[in-house]
Amino acid sequence: MKIAGLDIGGATTDLAVVEFSDSGDIKNIRVDYEYLPMWMEKENLGNVIKNMLGSDFNDLDALGVSMTAELVDAYATKREGVLDIVQKTRELSDIEMGFVGQSGILEPKEVLGKPLEVAAANWIATAPLAAMISPDCILVDTGSTTTDIIPIKDGQECARGRSDLERLATGELVYTGLLRTNVATLVDRVPLQDIWVRVASELFAITADVQVVLKNIGEKEYSCPTPDGSGESRTECMQRMARLVCSDLDVLTEEEVEELASYVYQKQLERVAEALLEVAENNDLDEVVVTGLGMNLVGREAANLLGLKVTSMDELLTIEECVAAPAVGTALLMEEFLRSKLFNENI
């Protein structure tokens, strides 16, 4: 059996094509992703999915879908977003399809009756992967834009919040990520030349610029558009960081820009650590399983600030598969759903 899992985000759509043996064991996983700003290009979703599936498109037995793109401002409401994404994916093929909801896989007709059940529920698909590594842990999944912090006990997720709104209140969702976070949302002032300087509240620089300046990632890993439309070189990232304090590289030295970047990075880690501590204390958990694009640069470092035990999901998946963990988890949930459905039909 070959099942595709899709995680349709606001900025990036991730794919995992998983091949299963007759006994349900995983034989092979292929992952891919493509930058797709749904707020501008939602009509291109179907083409992007087909391109990523490639030759697998006609060999699929089923398709599972999780989503967070319903939040983009191209939709007036999340309900409208969910229904549009469901329609666009159903138009792709007549194969069996399911959508990740807060209590598992829902069939398309069920989603039509309660669309908010599948809104921003991709973390439901990732939690079982973390539980395979540790039945009592906190999943920290840092992507390009957000960080999910999900408590797991006895092998089951036990998040207090269910919607994005609720999870923002409980610390289980932090709207900061490795690449796309506006630096001006992380700090209101920075240290420079032994004084504190207020920052410009503009989209001058993003966290991808911070990571390149600090040499934590390279140009190729800067996989989203730059704020000013220029390139991803370290010099160009430094130029954008200098604008944070209404300056440029004629005024600031390389060392001063690095100081700015280090301070911003530390504040981002502290923001994630603050939420992680809240979830850890509320659930009496002290082990963290990290995954996602920023699993080591954000998730692991935030956990280290708190002295928590940290395990990486790359003990279970490859590094590349960890980046698309919700898509992989979606495919696995879909396989379990189909197996359970077949069993019930044969009773």
Side-chain angles (χ1 to χ4, degrees):
M1 183 178 291
K2 182 182 288 188
I3 297 176
L6 285 169
D7 179 27
I8 302 174
T12 305
T13 293
D14 293 339
L15 167 74
V17 178
V18 183
E19 294 183 59
F20 297 91
S21 67
D22 292 340
S23 60
D25 295 327
I26 296 174
K27 295 169 57 180
N28 184 59
I29 300 176
R30 178 180 73 84
V31 297
D32 196 2
Y33 70 90
E34 187 163 333
Y35 178 74
L36 176 66
M38 286 284 286
W39 59 91
M40 293 191 299
E41 301 178 26
K42 61 185 176 69
E43 298 307 322
N44 199 33
L45 177 62
N47 290 331
V48 165
I49 293 172
K50 287 181 180 179
N51 288 339
M52 286 195 296
L53 282 170
S55 59
D56 288 319
F57 182 75
N58 294 320
D59 296 332
L60 292 180
D61 295 293
L63 176 65
V65 180
S66 62
M67 68 180 79
T68 58
E70 76 287 336
L71 185 62
V72 301
D73 52 16
Y75 300 119
T77 65
K78 290 193 285 187
R79 179 185 299 272
E80 176 188 329
V82 168
L83 295 177
D84 182 61
I85 293 167
V86 170
Q87 179 181 345
K88 284 179 169 54
T89 50
R90 291 186 71 189
E91 288 173 351
L92 291 172
S93 173
D94 58 0
I95 62 172
E96 187 138 16
M97 200 170 293
F99 295 82
V100 176
Q102 294 180 14
S103 56
I105 293 290
L106 278 69
E107 295 183 313
K109 61 183 179 182
E110 295 178 290
V111 178
L112 297 180
K114 44 184 177 181
L116 295 185
E117 284 290 308
V118 304
N122 65 341
W123 55 275
I124 294 288
T126 319
L129 296 174
M132 292 179 188
I133 298 173
S134 174
D136 298 289
C137 68
I138 302 171
L139 165 67
V140 179
D141 182 357
T142 302
S144 65
T145 311
T146 61
T147 298
D148 290 316
I149 303 175
I150 309 301
I152 297 169
K153 288 185 176 181
D154 298 324
Q156 302 294 321
E157 63 83 11
C158 54
R160 296 189 177 192
R162 309 310 291 178
S163 67
D164 277 352
L165 175 60
E166 293 171 349
R167 292 170 60 233
L168 285 169
T170 61
E172 293 161 347
L173 172 62
V174 183
Y175 226 93
T176 192
L178 185 70
L179 301 179
R180 297 185 61 249
T181 301
N182 183 348
V183 167
T185 66
L186 295 172
V187 293
D188 58 6
R189 60 178 65 196
V190 293
L192 183 66
Q193 300 171 350
D194 297 323
I195 62 173
W196 286 94
V197 180
R198 291 173 177 81
V199 303
S201 182
E202 296 281 358
L203 182 55
F204 281 146
I206 56 179
T207 43
D209 296 308
V210 172
Q211 297 297 337
V212 172
V213 170
L214 296 177
K215 300 180 182 179
N216 289 334
I217 67 172
E219 293 181 44
K220 291 183 179 179
E221 296 164 289
Y222 197 131
S223 57
C224 61
T226 61
D228 60 0
S230 64
E232 300 87 11
S233 70
R234 189 165 183 265
T235 297
E236 288 164 307
C237 291
M238 291 177 67
Q239 289 170 341
R240 287 188 286 270
M241 286 300 297
R243 292 191 190 105
L244 182 67
V245 287
C246 301
S247 194
D248 55 42
L249 298 185
D250 287 341
V251 177
L252 300 184
T253 65
E254 179 177 345
E255 291 74 19
E256 288 168 337
V257 176
E258 289 173 348
E259 181 185 6
L260 293 179
S262 294
Y263 182 79
V264 171
Y265 181 36
Q266 181 65 25
K267 288 302 175 184
Q268 182 184 34
L269 295 180
E270 289 175 3
R271 184 167 296 190
V272 175
E274 177 187 33
L276 177 55
L277 179 60
E278 180 179 350
V279 174
E281 290 181 341
N282 285 339
N283 294 277
D284 194 25
L285 293 168
D286 59 6
E287 182 175 356
V288 172
V289 174
V290 296
T291 193
L293 188 66
M295 64 182 182
N296 290 319
L297 288 172
V298 177
R300 181 181 294 276
E301 291 301 321
N304 285 341
L305 287 179
L306 301 175
L308 300 176
K309 178 183 177 182
V310 186
T311 306
S312 173
M313 197 173 282
D314 64 9
E315 291 189 3
L316 179 68
L317 306 173
T318 67
I319 293 290
E320 187 179 28
E321 291 162 2
C322 286
V323 173
V328 175
T330 295
L332 299 186
L333 285 182
M334 190 65 192
E335 192 275 339
E336 291 175 5
F337 172 78
L338 293 176
R339 189 154 26 94
S340 176
K341 184 178 179 180
L342 181 62
F343 176 79
N344 291 332
E345 290 175 351
N346 290 333
I347 292 178

